[in-house]
Amino acid sequence: MRIIIRSGGHDFESIASVFVILDMLNFRKIKIDMSEEVAWVEAGASLGELHYKISKVSKVHGFSASVCPEVCTGGHFSSGGYGNMMRKYGLSSDNILDAKI
């Protein structure tokens, strides 16, 4: 049986032939630790939610990611993470320090 993991938002894969979808949309927690300048982000959190949470704790920090707020982090990060700040700060995946599966 074919299994696909979807973190919510939209995707470019054809899932018409998929039999089992593990939807990560309800895994949306974002924890920001400004003393370490790191964030733990669950796969279902959207990029809009991530940017909003960062803006609530800092006026000078950000994260190199897409400007499409509906895209969820799991899919965005695992496919590289193309975004407007990538020329200066790299792709989203270049800025990920650790992952838990």
Side-chain angles (χ1 to χ4, degrees), residues 64-83:
S64 179
S66 170
V67 294
C68 184
E70 297 88 15
V71 173
C72 291
T73 57
H76 185 69
F77 295 167
S78 64
S79 62
Y82 185 87

Side-chain angles (χ1 to χ4, degrees), residues 45-79:
S46 71
L47 293 175
E49 291 169 330
L50 175 59
H51 290 304
Y52 179 77
K53 290 272 188 165
I54 292 171
S55 74
K56 288 306 216 181
V57 297
S58 175
K59 300 299 180 205
V60 296
H61 289 82
F63 188 77
S64 179
S66 170
V67 294
C68 184
E70 297 88 15
V71 173
C72 291
T73 57
H76 185 69
F77 295 167
S78 64
S79 62

